[in-house]
C-alpha cells in the first residue's frame, strides 16, 4: 500500500518547465507561423525543440480562455458547467454525458456526396493519422511506474495498435484514404502540412494535441481531462455517422468503427474514469483535491470547445456548394502557383502591366489577373484548344514547359472553355468554403534552431549525477537537449574508436551485414554467454554485503529500464513496422500498463526487501545518493540521451536495444540469480529478464528481427552501400552499450574488492577453516 501511495503522490507534485534564456525569442518566432507549419514543427519537435516555448504558451492560452469561460457559468452549456468533485457527483455527471453523445443528431441530415465525403476525409487526416497523439509522451522513466500513467499508457497503446500496425488507428485511416483513392504525403513531412487540399482549420485540434503532449507532467490533470472529454464528450457527429457513409461508398471503414458508440460505455471510458479517481485519491487534502479537479475539468472543456468549433467549421463548409466552377478552380490554381513564379517572366505583360508586377502583389489579386488574362492574346475563346496559354506557352520549347501537371492543364482548359459560356456571375465566381483558395503565400519562415553553444554552456559543468537527473526530467528542461545529443554522440564516438582497436575481441568486430552473417554472429555471442555459465556450488564466494551493495550500484539503470525506446512510438513514427516492434519491447519493460509488472517497480521491491528505500527516480535526491558511485550512471546516461532523438539516432537505438536484450541472457544474469537465491534475496528482476529476453521468441528475437527489417528497408530504397553504412551505425550502438556494460562490471568488481576487502578475507579464512575441519572429520 505504501508503494501505491508513493506512485500516486508523485503524480500530484506540481511541475514547472524551463526553456532557457532565449525562450521568448523562440516563442515569438513561431507565433508568426500559420497552424499548418506549426503542425510540422510540433510533429518533429525532437529535431526542432525551439518550438517548445510557443507550444507551452499555446496550451496555456487555451487553458486560460477556458478558465475565464468557466468563471461565468451562464455562458457555458449545462453539461460543461463546473461542479464540486465527489465520487458520486462525478459518476452522475459522467453517466449524463455519455447518453447525450448518443442522442446527438448527425451533422447533415442527407447522405454525403462523393466530393463531400472526400473533402471530409482530407480534413480529418491531420488529427486521425495522429489519433491519440496527446498521450504520446505520457509514459517516461519519470512516470511509467505510476498507476494513473499506466492506465493512460494503455489508452495510447490501444490507439497505436500496441505493437501491431494493422490495429494502429492512424494506419487504418491511411487505409481508408487509399480505399477512397486519396493520396496524401507522409504525415510527418512538410509536404503534408503544406498540402492545400487540407484546410488551415483542420490543423487546429492536432496542433493543440501535439503541444499538450510535450508537457505531460506540467499539465497532467488537464491531459486527463482532455482524454476524458475525448471519450465521454467528443461531440464529434461526423465520425459517428461515417461508417454507414463509408459502407455506402464501398470504402474501408475500420477506423471509424472505433468511434461508433455502444449502448453503454466501454472499457476505455472505464479506464479514464479510474484515472480520475486514482489521481484525486492521492491529493493531500480536500482543498488540493478540488483544485486538481478543476484543472481536470478545464481539460475536458478545452476538448469540448475545440471539438465544437471544428464541428461548426465542417458544417458550414459542407452546406456550401461542393462543386466548384471552372473559374473557382482556376483561382485556386493561380494562388498555388504564383509564389513559385515571381520574377521569372522578364518583360512580358498582361493587360498593360508586367506579369512580374502582378505576381509581386501581396496579397495576389487572382480575380483581377484572370480578368485581364481572359481578354489577352493568350486566350482563344472561340477555339480554346488553340489558345497560346495551352499550346505554345506550355509545350516543349515554350517558357512554361512542365510547369503545369496534366491535371492542372485540364483545369486551365476548362476555364478557357467556360469563358465563352460565362455569365458575369460565373466570371466573378466566389470560391466556396468547402474548397477555399489558399491565401496569398508568404515565404515560409525557417525553423529557429536552439542556440546550442549557450545551452551547452548551461550544463557544461554538470556531473554525471546532475545529467542523469536532467535527462530523466528532459520534458521539464528543454534546454538540456543539445547536451543530451552531445552525450549520446560522445558514447558513439568512443564506440566507433573501440571498434577499430586491435584488442577488441573478435566477436565484437564489425562485419559486412547479411541476414546469414548477422544471425551467425548473434548466435555465436549467445552461445558464448550460455556456455560460460557454470553451475552454482554452495557456499557463495561473494559476501552478502557485496550483493546488497551491487543492487544499490546497479539501481540507476533498472530504474530507467526501457528508457532507450521510451520515445520510439512518437506521433509520425508509431505507425511504422520498426517503431511497432520496439514499442512492444518498451511496453513489456514498463509492465504492459500493469504497475505490478513494471520493471522499475520490480527492482524497487528488491531494494525494499533489503531495507533500501530510494527516493523517486525523477528526484534530484535519487541521483545524489552518496551510497551510489559515479560510475553507476554511465549506462543510463547512454540510454536516456539516445532516447530523446528517436529519428536522428534510430540506427543506434536499434543497436543499443540489441545489446541490452542480449545482455539479459547467459552467464551474467544467471550467476546473479544464483547468488541472490543463496542469500535469500529477491531475484525476480533478473529472472524476469532471463525469460522475457529469450532468443527464441522474446525481446532478443524481436531485436534481431528489427535489425533485419530496418536494413531491408534501407536496401530496398537506398541500395547496398547505404545499407552497410546504416548497419555500421547499428553496430556502433551495439558496441556502445556492450563496452560500457563491460566497464561497469570491471569497475564494480574492482571497487567491491577495495570496499569489502576485510569481509572477503574473513570469508576466505572461514571457508579455509571449514574445509580443514571437514577434511579432519573425513580422515578421522
Amino acid at each position: 500500500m505504501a508503494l501505491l501511495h508513493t506512485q500516486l503522490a508523485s503524480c500530484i507534485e506540481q511541475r514547472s518547465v524551463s526553456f532557457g534564456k532565449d525562450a521568448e525569442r523562440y516563442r515569438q518566432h513561431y507565433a508568426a507561423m500559420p497552424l499548418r507549419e506549426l503542425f510540422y514543427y510540433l510533429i518533429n519537435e525532437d529535431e526542432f525543440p525551439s518550438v517548445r516555448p510557443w507550444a507551452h504558451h499555446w496550451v496555456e492560452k487555451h487553458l486560460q480562455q477556458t478558465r475565464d469561460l468557466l468563471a461565468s457559468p451562464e455562458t457555458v452549456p449545462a453539461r460543461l458547467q463546473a461542479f464540486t468533485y465527489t465520487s458520486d457527483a462525478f459518476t452522475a455527471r459522467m453517466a449524463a454525458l455519455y447518453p447525450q453523445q448518443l442522442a446527438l443528431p448527425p451533422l447533415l441530415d442527407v447522405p454525403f456526396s462523393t466530393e463531400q465525403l472526400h473533402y471530409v476525409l482530407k480534413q480529418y487526416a491531420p488529427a486521425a493519422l495522429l489519433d491519440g497523439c496527446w498521450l504520446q509522451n505520457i509514459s517516461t522513466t519519470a512516470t511509467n511506474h505510476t498507476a494513473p500513467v499506466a492506465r493512460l499508457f494503455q489508452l495510447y497503446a490501444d490507439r497505436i495498435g500496441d505493437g501491431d500496425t494493422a490495429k494502429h488507428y492512424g494506419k487504418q485511416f491511411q487505409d481508408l484514404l487509399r480505399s477512397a483513392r486519396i493520396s496524401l504525403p507522409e504525415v510527418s513531412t512538410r509536404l503534408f502540412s503544406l498540402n492545400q487540399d487540407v484546410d488551415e482549420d483542420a490543423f487546429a485540434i492536432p496542433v493543440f494535441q501535439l503541444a499538450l503532449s510535450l508537457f505531460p507532467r506540467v499539465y497532467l490533470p488537464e491531459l486527463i481531462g482532455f482524454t476524458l472529454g475525448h471519450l465521454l464528450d467528443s461531440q464529434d457527429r461526423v465520425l459517428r455517422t461515417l461508417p454507414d457513409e463509408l459502407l455506402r461508398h464501398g470504402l474501408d471503414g475500420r477506423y471509424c468503427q472505433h468511434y461508433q458508440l455502444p449502448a453503454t460505455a466501454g472499457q476505455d471510458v472505464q479506464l479514464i474514469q479510474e484515472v480520475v479517481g486514482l489521481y484525486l485519491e492521492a491529493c493531500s487534502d480536500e482543498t488540493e483535491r478540488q483544485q486538481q479537479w478543476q484543472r481536470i475539468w478545464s481539460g475536458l472543456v478545452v476538448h469540448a470547445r475545440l471539438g465544437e468549433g471544428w464541428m461548426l467549421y465542417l458544417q458550414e463548409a459542407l452546406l456550401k456548394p461542393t462543386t466548384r466552377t471552372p473559374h473557382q478552380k482556376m483561382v485556386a490554381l493561380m494562388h498555388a502557383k504564383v509564389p513559385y513564379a515571381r520574377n521569372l517572366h522578364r518583360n512580358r505583360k498582361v493587360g498593360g502591366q508586367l506579369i512580374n508586377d502582378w505576381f509581386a502583389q501581396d496579397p495576389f489579386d487572382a480575380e483581377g489577373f484572370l480578368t485581364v488574362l481572359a481578354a489577352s492574346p493568350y486566350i482563344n475563346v472561340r477555339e480554346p484548344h488553340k489558345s497560346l496559354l495551352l499550346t505554345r506557352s506550355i509545350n516543349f520549347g515554350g517558357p512554361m514547359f512542365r510547369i503545369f501537371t496534366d491535371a492542372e492543364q485540364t483545369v486551365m482548359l476548362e476555364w478557357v472553355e467556360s469563358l465563352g459560356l460565362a455569365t458575369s456571375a460565373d466570371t466573378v465566381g466566389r470560391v466556396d468554403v468547402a474548397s477555399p483558395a489558399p491565401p496569398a503565400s508568404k515565404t515560409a519562415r525557417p525553423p529557429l534552431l536552439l542556440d546550442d553553444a549557450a545551452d551547452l554552456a548551461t550544463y557544461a559543468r554538470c556531473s554525471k549525477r546532475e545529467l542523469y537527473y536532467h535527462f530523466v526530467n528532459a520534458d521539464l528542461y528543454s534546454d538540456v537537449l543539445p547536451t543530451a545529443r552531445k552525450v549520446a554522440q560522445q558514447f558513439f564516438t568512443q564506440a566507433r574508436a573501440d571498434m577499430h582497436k586491435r584488442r577488441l575481441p573478435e566477436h565484437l568486430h564489425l562485419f559486412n551485414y547479411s541476414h546469414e552473417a548477422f544471425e551467425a554472429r548473434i548466435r555465436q555471442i549467445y552461445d558464448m554467454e550460455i556456455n560460460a555459465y557454470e553451475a552454482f556450488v554452495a557456499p557463495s564466494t561473494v559476501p552478502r554485503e557485496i550483493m546488497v551493495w551491487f543492487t544499490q550500484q546497479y539501481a540507476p539503470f533498472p530504474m530507467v529500464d526501457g528508457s532507450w525506446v521510451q520515445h520510439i512510438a512518437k506521433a509520425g513514427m508509431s505507425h511504422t513496422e520498426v517503431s511497432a516492434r520496439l514499442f512492444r519491447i518498451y511496453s513489456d519493460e514498463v509492465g504492459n500498463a500493469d504497475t505490478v509488472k513494471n520493471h522499475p517497480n520490480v527492482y524497487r521491491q528488491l531494494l525494499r526487501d533489503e531495507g533500501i528505500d530510494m527516493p523517486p527516480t525523477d528526484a534530484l535526491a535519487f541521483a545524489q545518493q552518496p551510497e551510489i558511485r559515479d560510475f553507476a550512471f554511465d549506462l543510463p546516461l547512454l540510454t536516456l540521451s539516445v532516447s530523446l532523438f528517436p529519428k536522428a539516432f534510430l540506427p543506434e537505438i536499434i543497436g543499443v536495444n540489441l545489446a541490452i536484450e542480449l545482455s539479459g541472457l547467459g552467464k551474467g544474469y544467471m550467476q546473479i540469480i544464483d547468488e541472490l537465491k543463496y542469500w535469500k534475496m529477491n531475484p525476480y528482476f533478473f529472472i524476469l529478464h532471463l525469460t522475457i529476453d529469450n532468443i527464441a521468441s522474446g525481446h532478443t528475437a524481436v531485436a534481431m528481427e528489427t535489425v533485419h527489417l530496418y536494413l531491408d528497408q534501407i536496401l530496398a530504397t537506398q541500395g547496398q552501400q547505404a545499407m552497410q553504412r546504416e548497419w555500421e551505425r547499428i553496430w556502433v550502438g551495439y558496441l556502445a552499450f556492450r563496452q560500457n556494460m563491460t566497464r561497469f562490471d570491471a569497475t564494480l568488481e574492482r571497487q567491491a574488492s577495495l570496499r569489502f576487502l576485510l569481509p572477503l578475507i574473513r570469508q576466505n579464512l572461514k571457508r579455509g577453516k571449514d574445509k580443514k575441519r571437514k577434511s579432519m572429520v573425513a580422515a578421522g
Side-chain angles (χ1 to χ4, degrees):
M1 192 66 184
L3 176 60
L4 178 61
H5 180 73
T6 301
Q7 293 172 359
L8 294 173
S10 65
C11 287
I12 298 298
E13 184 179 352
Q14 300 297 307
R15 302 284 185 173
S16 59
V17 61
S18 172
F19 299 109
K21 63 183 182 66
D22 289 326
E24 183 58 24
R25 180 166 64 92
Y26 298 151
R27 186 191 69 76
Q28 291 182 5
H29 178 84
Y30 288 98
M33 291 185 179
L35 289 174
R36 61 175 68 248
E37 287 194 55
L38 290 161
F39 176 86
Y40 170 74
Y41 291 120
L42 286 168
I43 202 174
N44 294 294
E45 59 79 28
D46 49 324
E47 294 303 314
F48 302 108
S50 56
V51 76
R52 290 186 173 212
W54 177 87
H56 182 266
H57 170 79
W58 191 244
V59 173
E60 189 57 41
K61 176 181 178 180
H62 277 274
L63 290 174
Q64 186 57 54
Q65 290 173 347
T66 299
R67 288 190 286 264
D68 293 342
L69 185 70
L70 288 171
S72 303
E74 68 279 0
T75 65
V76 182
R79 76 176 201 285
L80 298 179
Q81 290 180 2
F83 60 97
T84 300
Y85 175 85
T86 66
S87 179
D88 290 343
F90 174 66
T91 301
R93 180 65 71 89
M94 296 305 103
L97 282 179
Y98 192 78
Q100 287 178 359
Q101 281 201 82
L102 292 171
L104 286 171
L107 196 65
L108 296 182
D109 55 6
V110 294
F112 287 175
S113 68
T114 299
E115 189 170 352
Q116 284 178 317
L117 181 58
H118 284 201
Y119 171 75
V120 165
L121 294 179
K122 291 174 185 177
Q123 306 320 305
Y124 266 97
L129 292 171
L130 304 184
D131 202 329
C133 68
W134 65 94
L135 293 172
Q136 65 175 330
N137 296 310
I138 194 61
S139 177
T140 66
T141 55
T143 60
N144 63 46
H145 62 290
T146 66
V149 165
R151 284 162 174 77
L152 290 170
F153 174 72
Q154 183 175 341
L155 291 171
Y156 183 60
D158 287 345
R159 275 152 182 76
I160 63 170
D162 203 10
D164 184 349
T165 56
K167 299 177 181 177
H168 189 286
Y169 282 23
K171 194 83 181 299
Q172 290 177 352
F173 191 82
Q174 184 69 63
D175 292 341
L176 167 56
L177 292 175
R178 288 196 183 100
S179 71
R181 298 185 179 181
I182 296 172
S183 179
L184 292 175
E186 184 68 26
V187 68
S188 60
T189 65
R190 194 165 178 79
L191 283 176
F192 179 92
S193 61
L194 296 181
N195 190 299
Q196 294 299 325
D197 283 343
V198 183
D199 297 349
E200 181 80 7
D201 288 74
F203 292 95
I205 291 179
V207 161
F208 179 83
Q209 292 173 342
L210 288 166
L212 180 63
S213 77
L214 298 181
F215 311 103
R217 287 188 286 170
V218 175
Y219 294 118
L220 181 56
E222 289 84 3
L223 196 149
I224 292 171
F226 192 89
T227 309
L228 188 68
H230 184 78
L231 295 172
L232 273 158
D233 188 54
S234 74
Q235 304 294 304
D236 196 320
R237 291 174 282 161
V238 174
L239 286 180
R240 294 210 312 276
T241 57
L242 271 185
D244 291 339
E245 293 286 343
L246 299 177
L247 181 63
R248 190 167 64 85
H249 285 80
L251 304 181
D252 186 336
R254 287 175 300 154
Y255 173 79
C256 293
Q257 288 172 359
H258 297 299
Y259 289 91
Q260 284 188 300
L261 300 177
T264 57
Q267 182 183 6
D268 285 358
V269 172
Q270 296 172 18
L271 269 177
I272 191 58
Q273 292 187 79
E274 284 180 24
V275 172
V276 173
L278 285 169
Y279 182 82
L280 295 177
E281 179 184 324
C283 293
S284 58
D285 54 38
E286 186 61 23
T287 299
E288 183 185 43
R289 181 172 294 107
Q290 295 304 327
Q291 290 173 346
Q292 295 297 317
W293 164 245
Q294 292 307 317
R295 292 183 62 185
I296 290 174
W297 193 249
S298 293
L300 182 145
V301 177
V302 166
H303 185 281
R305 291 178 62 224
L306 289 170
E308 288 170 359
W310 173 236
M311 284 298 97
L312 180 61
Y313 176 83
L314 268 186
Q315 189 171 44
E316 290 178 349
L318 290 170
L319 290 175
K320 298 294 183 182
T322 57
T323 301
R324 292 187 297 172
T325 66
H327 178 82
Q328 291 168 342
K329 293 177 183 179
M330 190 64 179
V331 168
L333 177 60
M334 292 303 302
H335 277 292
K337 290 294 187 181
V338 161
Y340 308 101
R342 289 177 175 139
N343 297 321
L344 295 177
H345 291 77
R346 296 183 176 86
N347 296 320
R348 289 187 173 86
K349 295 182 179 182
V350 171
Q353 184 175 339
L354 290 172
I355 295 178
N356 283 339
D357 290 343
W358 278 105
F359 290 175
Q361 296 172 341
D362 188 7
F364 169 59
D365 180 10
E367 297 287 355
F369 180 79
L370 289 178
T371 298
V372 297
L373 179 63
S376 74
Y378 291 100
I379 303 301
N380 186 335
V381 176
R382 293 183 178 181
E383 296 181 90
H385 288 86
K386 295 183 179 181
S387 295
L388 294 179
L389 177 67
L390 301 173
T391 55
R392 191 175 68 188
S393 295
I394 63 176
N395 288 340
F396 180 72
M400 294 191 292
F401 179 63
R402 295 299 191 202
I403 294 294
F404 299 98
T405 66
D406 290 347
E408 290 168 342
Q409 291 180 38
T410 300
V411 169
M412 295 161 65
L413 175 59
E414 290 177 354
W415 174 68
V416 177
E417 289 176 335
S418 72
L419 293 177
L421 305 173
T423 64
S424 59
D426 184 44
T427 302
V428 180
R430 172 181 50 81
V431 177
D432 60 274
V433 177
S435 301
S441 299
K442 298 181 180 179
T443 303
R445 301 196 76 185
L448 189 62
L449 301 180
L450 287 173
D451 183 354
D452 285 3
D455 290 339
L456 286 170
T458 300
Y459 297 93
R461 296 186 179 181
C462 283
S463 66
K464 293 178 182 178
R465 299 168 182 270
E466 291 168 328
L467 288 178
Y468 179 90
Y469 166 75
H470 284 101
F471 290 177
V472 167
N473 295 288
D475 59 318
L476 306 179
Y477 297 97
S478 293
D479 56 342
V480 82
L481 292 176
T483 299
R485 188 186 289 268
K486 180 180 178 181
V487 167
Q489 289 170 335
Q490 288 172 339
F491 277 112
F492 299 137
T493 298
Q494 181 62 54
R496 197 174 293 276
D498 290 345
M499 191 166 61
H500 300 291
K501 290 180 178 178
R502 291 185 178 180
R503 67 173 182 269
L504 187 71
E506 182 63 31
H507 66 276
L508 297 180
H509 284 179
L510 179 68
F511 57 97
N512 280 337
Y513 170 83
S514 70
H515 278 238
E516 296 74 20
F518 175 72
E519 295 278 348
R521 177 65 67 86
I522 300 305
R523 174 58 68 173
Q524 176 193 4
I525 294 170
Y526 174 74
D527 289 344
M528 286 174 55
E529 290 297 321
I530 292 295
N531 294 334
Y533 171 72
E534 296 179 359
F536 180 79
V537 178
S540 171
T541 59
V542 181
R544 196 179 200 283
E545 300 98 309
I546 290 183
M547 290 309 300
V548 173
W549 185 74
F550 160 75
T551 62
Q552 289 179 295
Q553 304 314 307
Y554 194 52
F557 183 57
M559 288 305 173
V560 296
D561 206 357
S563 58
W564 58 98
V565 282
Q566 65 181 332
H567 296 300
I568 204 65
K570 291 175 72 73
M573 292 181 66
S574 62
H575 64 289
T576 66
E577 292 291 344
V578 167
S579 175
R581 281 163 174 76
L582 294 177
F583 177 78
R584 272 186 252 158
I585 290 175
Y586 178 71
S587 186
D588 283 345
E589 302 290 351
V590 300
N592 303 116
D594 184 343
T595 56
V596 174
K597 299 175 183 176
N598 175 273
H599 292 187
N601 282 345
V602 172
Y603 198 84
R604 200 172 277 276
Q605 189 59 53
L606 161 61
L607 294 171
R608 283 202 174 92
D609 290 346
E610 298 306 313
I612 302 170
D613 194 2
M614 290 187 172
T617 310
D618 62 330
L620 184 58
F622 180 93
Q624 291 179 336
Q625 292 176 92
E627 298 84 4
I628 300 178
R629 300 296 179 88
D630 285 352
F631 74 92
F633 293 94
D634 287 338
L635 282 175
L637 283 180
L638 167 59
T639 61
L640 288 166
S641 61
V642 73
S643 77
L644 296 170
F645 307 96
K647 298 186 187 75
F649 290 133
L650 180 57
E652 288 82 3
I653 289 173
I654 292 172
V656 168
N657 180 68
L658 177 67
I660 290 174
E661 303 313 335
L662 268 174
S663 71
L665 305 177
K667 172 186 174 182
Y669 273 23
M670 293 169 76
Q671 288 184 337
I672 292 171
I673 292 168
D674 289 340
E675 297 289 349
L676 292 174
K677 283 183 175 179
Y678 177 81
W679 291 115
K680 294 182 172 52
M681 297 172 68
N682 184 350
Y684 190 65
F685 177 85
F686 300 95
I687 293 174
L688 179 61
H689 284 79
L690 199 62
T691 58
I692 205 170
D693 294 344
N694 75 83
I695 198 170
S697 59
H699 288 183
T700 300
V702 175
M704 295 171 67
E705 186 180 273
T706 304
V707 171
H708 287 318
L709 177 64
Y710 179 75
L711 293 177
D712 283 350
Q713 291 173 349
I714 298 298
L715 177 64
T717 57
Q718 301 179 46
Q720 178 71 223
Q721 288 186 338
M723 182 188 73
Q724 295 299 339
R725 285 196 300 270
E726 293 300 288
W727 160 242
E728 181 174 332
R729 291 181 63 185
I730 290 174
W731 196 248
V732 163
Y734 174 87
L735 201 59
F737 183 85
R738 180 68 183 252
Q739 293 294 80
N740 277 280
M741 188 77 226
T742 300
R743 293 185 188 103
F744 172 84
D745 290 340
T747 306
L748 186 72
E749 185 174 343
R750 184 172 61 253
Q751 294 204 11
S753 298
L754 295 173
R755 181 180 177 87
F756 298 99
L757 183 60
L758 187 57
L760 281 169
I761 293 173
R762 287 174 178 169
Q763 180 165 300
N764 288 333
L765 287 174
K766 182 177 183 300
R767 187 175 291 111
K769 291 179 181 178
D770 289 344
K771 186 175 181 181
K772 184 176 181 180
R773 188 181 302 112
K774 288 178 182 178
S775 298
M776 292 174 63
V777 170

